[in-house]
């Protein structure tokens, strides 16, 4: 990390999220700009972008905002260090549960995609 700050427009371009969505995630406490410019503009770092990417990846898997907040809290605490072994294991278990849930959702999406591809192939076969 080079400590470079980005304005919200650049973050939106990098994450492919709308400005409105980024602001919504800020309002709900999922992401907080690392700084503000002298003019009051939100400033973000690469770490903030990485956090938004986690949120972006969780959304299509059906995770709620509360679940996103819970996972981000667990990973933030794990990254912060200074944990005892019991607390660390409890946090790791929370992350494992989210990983399992994500894997289950991915499998469901694979099945849906296969069905959609079969349907498209059926339609293609009917065309001259």
């Amino acid at each position: 990390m080079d400590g470079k700050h980005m304005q919200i427009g650049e973050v939106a371009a990098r994450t492919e999220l709308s400005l409105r969505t980024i602001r919504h995630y800020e309002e709900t406490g999922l992401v907080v700009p690392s700084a503000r410019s002298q003019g009051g503009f939100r400033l973000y770092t690469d770490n903030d972008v990485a956090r938004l990417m986690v949120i972006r990846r969780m959304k299509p898997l059906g995770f709620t905002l509360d679940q996103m907040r819970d996972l981000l809290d667990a990973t933030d605490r794990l990254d912060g260090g200074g944990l005892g072994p019991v607390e660390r294991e409890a946090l790791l278990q929370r992350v494992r549960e989210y990983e399992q849930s994500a894997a289950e959702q991915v499998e469901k999406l694979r099945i849906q995609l296969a069905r959609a591809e079969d349907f498209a192939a059926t339609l293609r076969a009917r065309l001259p």
Side-chain angles (χ1 to χ4, degrees):
M1 299 291 155
D2 61 6
K4 175 185 173 259
H5 284 96
M6 298 164 267
Q7 290 189 1
I8 194 169
E10 183 179 347
V11 172
R14 287 180 62 181
T15 61
E16 298 179 348
L17 294 169
S18 69
L19 300 177
R20 182 177 180 183
T21 297
I22 295 170
R23 288 183 185 116
H24 173 69
Y25 291 149
E26 180 184 350
E27 289 167 7
T28 60
L30 288 173
V31 67
V32 178
S34 290
R36 293 251 180 196
S37 70
Q38 289 182 344
F41 294 105
R42 295 167 174 84
L43 297 175
Y44 299 86
T45 63
D46 286 336
N47 285 337
D48 299 323
V49 170
R51 188 176 184 89
L52 283 164
M53 292 303 292
V54 168
I55 295 165
R56 189 181 128 202
R57 290 175 183 129
M58 290 181 80
K59 187 69 175 161
L61 296 178
F63 289 101
T64 67
L65 294 176
D66 285 339
Q67 289 171 317
M68 293 175 194
R69 190 176 294 106
D70 183 53
L71 175 62
L72 290 166
D73 174 66
T75 56
D76 287 347
R77 290 172 59 196
L78 284 166
D79 292 345
L83 303 171
V86 172
E87 184 179 11
R88 179 173 170 69
E89 185 52 40
L91 292 170
L92 287 170
Q93 183 56 38
R94 278 172 46 197
V95 174
R96 283 185 202 102
E97 289 169 5
Y98 282 107
E99 186 279 330
Q100 180 62 39
S101 201
E104 290 169 4
Q105 285 304 114
V106 166
E107 185 55 32
K108 288 178 185 177
L109 288 171
R110 281 192 180 111
I111 292 167
Q112 287 179 341
L113 179 59
R115 289 177 181 158
E117 288 171 336
D118 287 345
F119 175 65
T122 299
L123 294 176
R124 272 193 305 277
R126 296 188 65 113
L127 297 173

